[in-house]
Amino acid sequence: LDIFETIHNALSGEIEKINSILLETIKVPEYLVNDITSYVLKRRGKKIRPIITLLTSKMLSGNINDASIYLSCAVELVHIATLIHDDVIDCSSIRNGKMSPNEIWNNKTSILAGDFLFSQAFKFMVKAKNLEALELLASASAIIAEGEITQLRLQNEKRIITINEYFDVIEKKTAKLFSSASACGAISCDINHNTIKKIEEFGFLFGKIFQISDDILDYNGLSKELGKDIGLDFFEAKVTLPLIILYSKCDEDEKKFLETRFFQNDKTQNDLKYVIDLLHKYSIHDEIYHIMNKIKCDAINCISTLYNNNTYKDLLIELIDHLIHRKR
Amino acid sequence: LDIFETIHNALSGEIEKINSILLETIKVPEYLVNDITSYVLKRRGKKIRPIITLLTSKMLSGNINDASIYLSCAVELVHIATLIHDDVIDCSSIRNGKMSPNEIWNNKTSILAGDFLFSQAFKFMVKAKNLEALELLASASAIIAEGEITQLRLQNEKRIITINEYFDVIEKKTAKLFSSASACGAISCDINHNTIKKIEEFGFLFGKIFQISDDILDYNGLSKELGKDIGLDFFEAKVTLPLIILYSKCDEDEKKFLETRFFQNDKTQNDLKYVIDLLHKYSIHDEIYHIMNKIKCDAINCISTLYNNNTYKDLLIELIDHLIHRKR
């Protein structure tokens, strides 16, 4: 069994509940809204963010209450709404092997569908009746948008960004929602403030690993089977960790290539192959595994004093290992 | 003094508070976010939605508490976020005589800036610490998006929509937020449920009048001075109430013109002039004044049993009269 099958077995009742709540509540008079939302809801795969909320609740209380279920739904919808807007912004036509909403409908409808789902997310937060969780998720949503604006600005500057700039972006656009997802799992257990803070930090580090591993995949993934193309960041001239570390290690000629060719619009598959070869030449992947493993140690530290011999804690840590080594 | 000056005098302390809260809280590390948000916040004019929240609170309790202030801020931000996305969707370059954010920055950044402000709106709702208001505003936000999707769909169908379809759209995209704005003013006074419902209905009818009067302005307004062009709906082939009623009254040849020419992309100022002349020929404006006055009666009925000889109630009704007769 792969880790996601194991988790889906362990949480099958709750994940089913989330799926049906999501599908059932989004039925409005306008059929176009229902078409788009049911499309994006059915398209979604692993539901890693709500899973983190659920696993955290289970780890801390052995139980998953309604608040935790509603917050899981909210977290997933914030993510889906963000993805819909991302696809419009990146002019993406495919995500996870399926056509993106802007490709099937259009940009205008997709922007509004994103807004609709974002509002639905807040309706679920209200159902959880917890102002602390609401504050956390509202802040996370604002910070995601801020991080994406920073990312756009840096992309427009057409230069190799620094590692600090990179971490600033991924902490905002990705890690913050993961940290809120795990904190929501803790908050709905009515646990003490210190523990919530530790859990929040755990989720934050988890989210960083998630994004770094996603960024490696873009150069290193097994693409065709999942319909996810490699080289998307490369062809969009989005500078990510592999490129930043490569740039710090390579020689002057190679640096020159990265500084100029990377930011041109007519890059070819050969250019991508050249960069992938450079990544191998300088063992950049090992370097990044090292970074992820360091973050993993910090993450485990956050929850080390909490619970031992706990199945759900073990699953959270296994999930990190899976991310670090995933090829798709 | 015009009605807005009178209201701004009556609520000067509170409106100043709202302005400074809005400007002060939106200071984040990413300067681009601050640039855009301070631009759109400074651009905004009449703040009619938060004013309704404030007037409602004053009418009901003689007082405006912090919850009411925060909810006013939230209502305004939901509106501003919606406008930013609207400008992207309509490819607008000007609003209220000033360049739209998508024109100064770009569509991508504007979509994200809208998301950012939308999230900020929810942070303000959380500060008001009232789940009932949160539920109302989250629902309103979803319904706005739904209404705008319906509007886009109808626009794509390139036909004269029915009056029921028109009201369905404006109730969702406009009236619902007005009804929530007034209900928030009541909720923050801790008033009984029945009164809240009446106030909510009052705001709903107020919002319908607001949108109808806005739609007339597009054919009838004094444009140049405010930088607001007339004929925007006409050139975008957006069917609104004046056209719907005109279509029901005019002769076969004129009907033919409206059915075909209205939906072509190469319409000219002469075509606009022809439609404006038809509107006069059939006294469509009188018809629409009649509709608005009927809605006004219903609105007054909603609050007639509540408070008499109340300055703030009188201002709300004066505001309706102003909308019905406005030329800009």
Side-chain angles (χ1 to χ4, degrees), chain A residues 3-43:
Chain A
I3 175 79
F4 280 101
E5 288 172 322
T6 310
I7 290 173
H8 277 259
N9 287 341
L11 301 173
S12 62
E14 287 83 3
I15 291 176
E16 224 168 85
K17 221 186 252 179
I18 288 177
N19 285 336
S20 73
I21 289 176
L22 286 174
L23 277 172
E24 172 195 306
T25 43
I26 301 168
K27 281 181 185 159
V28 298
E30 171 58 52
Y31 75 85
L32 205 50
V33 172
N34 297 327
D35 286 357
I36 302 174
T37 53
S38 67
Y39 179 79
V40 294
L41 287 174
K42 280 172 189 156
R43 179 181 68 154

Side-chain angles (χ1 to χ4, degrees), chain B residues 100-130:
Chain B
S100 54
N102 46 307
E103 190 72 12
I104 302 179
W105 292 276
N106 54 48
N107 281 345
K108 297 177 180 191
T109 313
S110 298
I111 294 172
L112 293 168
D115 291 350
F116 175 81
L117 288 173
F118 200 49
S119 307
Q120 291 289 344
F122 280 92
K123 287 179 78 172
F124 282 120
M125 294 175 214
V126 174
K127 283 194 179 179
K129 292 184 181 155
N130 187 307

Side-chain angles (χ1 to χ4, degrees), chain A residues 183-251:
Chain A
C184 282
I187 288 169
S188 53
C189 295
D190 212 8
I191 220 92
N192 70 72
H193 181 73
N194 271 351
T195 305
I196 293 174
K197 282 288 144 198
K198 280 185 184 171
I199 295 287
E200 196 176 347
E201 178 68 12
F202 172 81
F204 190 69
L205 298 167
F206 189 111
K208 279 164 79 160
I209 294 173
F210 178 87
Q211 188 59 57
I212 294 170
S213 73
D214 198 57
D215 290 340
I216 300 181
L217 275 188
D218 200 58
Y219 289 100
N220 202 27
L222 301 169
S223 59
K224 296 292 162 195
E225 301 140 53
L226 262 181
K228 186 178 182 176
D229 284 323
I230 66 167
L232 289 178
D233 294 337
F234 179 79
F235 288 109
E236 279 176 25
K238 200 181 275 175
V239 179
T240 56
L241 195 56
L243 207 85
I244 294 167
I245 296 181
L246 171 61
Y247 183 78
S248 73
K249 306 252 161 183
C250 64
D251 69 28

Side-chain angles (χ1 to χ4, degrees), chain A residues 1-15 46-48 51-52 54-55 312 315-316 318-319:
Chain A
L1 283 185
D2 92 347
I3 175 79
F4 280 101
E5 288 172 322
T6 310
I7 290 173
H8 277 259
N9 287 341
L11 301 173
S12 62
E14 287 83 3
I15 291 176
K46 290 172 182 164
K47 294 207 165 48
I48 190 162
I51 279 173
I52 287 178
L54 298 176
L55 285 177
Y312 301 100
L315 283 173
L316 281 167
E318 263 185 69
L319 206 43

